[in-house]
Amino acid sequence: MSISIDDLAARLQALEDKEAIRLLKSRYLRACDLKQPDIVRDCFLPGDVRIDFQGFPLFTQRDAFVATYESMACQGGVYDLHHASNWDISLSGPDEAKGLWSLNFRTILTGPRHVTRLSVEYEDVYRRQDGRWWIAESVSRVTSVLTEQIGEDGSISVLASGAPQ
């Protein structure tokens, strides 16, 4: 079985595109954790986007999403951790791809002494524009939640667990 140079080039391009998308998603999640709103903004396609995260309004502009992110997450006493896995990226054209991700999310809120852990499923659409990949659409749905209260004495009580409300 012989493989043509064109076939090899196409396969290599697909691998490079998928790796670029994986790095884009990693860059976005890391920026969320490190409270870097300018990097968060730069992960989303300029102009019209669709960001539909369960429990939040639908965003169609990246600046509106980033403003909400800043007001909620970029405050003292908020510590987040996003770990994405189980990625499944499929190229749907030379400049478009879809991605599925599982997310293990944790937030620590020192004010109310809460720790919340979420399992989340992402469905993303990526577009290549101006020579780079961007997140054009991102939809997330929570599949499980665990919220705990940490007492003054260090005791832990469960406030919520199971399927999201």
Side-chain angles (χ1 to χ4, degrees):
M1 171 185 216
S2 67
I3 299 174
S4 73
I5 296 293
D6 289 342
D7 288 342
L8 283 175
R11 290 167 67 181
L12 179 59
Q13 184 63 56
L15 289 172
E16 289 177 347
D17 288 341
K18 288 180 180 185
E19 182 63 11
I21 291 166
R22 283 181 356 117
L23 291 172
L24 170 64
K25 188 70 168 188
S26 295
R27 181 174 180 246
Y28 162 70
L29 296 172
R30 184 173 292 111
C32 287
D33 290 345
L34 296 176
K35 316 300 184 201
Q36 298 171 322
D38 290 338
I39 294 174
V40 169
R41 177 182 294 104
D42 189 55
C43 292
F44 288 94
L45 185 69
D48 293 337
V49 296
R50 181 172 179 259
I51 304 169
D52 184 6
F53 293 167
Q54 184 175 341
F56 292 88
L58 173 66
F59 296 97
T60 58
Q61 298 291 316
R62 67 184 187 172
D63 288 340
F65 170 73
V66 171
T68 297
Y69 158 74
E70 282 184 292
S71 71
M72 294 182 69
C74 297
Q75 307 300 318
V78 178
Y79 303 94
D80 295 331
L81 178 66
H82 296 74
H83 278 177
S85 61
N86 304 333
W87 60 275
D88 182 0
I89 298 169
S90 59
L91 299 171
S92 48
D95 296 318
E96 187 163 296
K98 294 183 179 186
L100 302 174
W101 302 84
S102 298
L103 180 74
N104 179 3
F105 172 76
R106 179 182 64 214
T107 188
I108 300 169
L109 305 175
T110 59
R113 303 176 67 93
H114 287 180
V115 176
T116 298
R117 298 174 206 176
L118 302 174
S119 294
V120 178
E121 289 296 315
Y122 275 103
E123 293 183 31
D124 293 342
V125 173
Y126 307 96
R127 288 205 182 92
R128 184 183 355 236
Q129 182 176 298
D130 301 325
R132 64 167 276 199
W133 287 98
W134 305 83
I135 302 170
E137 297 180 27
S138 189
V139 176
S140 75
R141 297 294 176 250
V142 176
T143 58
S144 68
V145 62
L146 174 64
T147 301
E148 300 166 306
Q149 174 79 50
I150 303 170
E152 291 288 332
D153 62 356
S155 63
I156 296 175
S157 56
V158 174
L159 300 178
S161 66
Q165 300 298 322

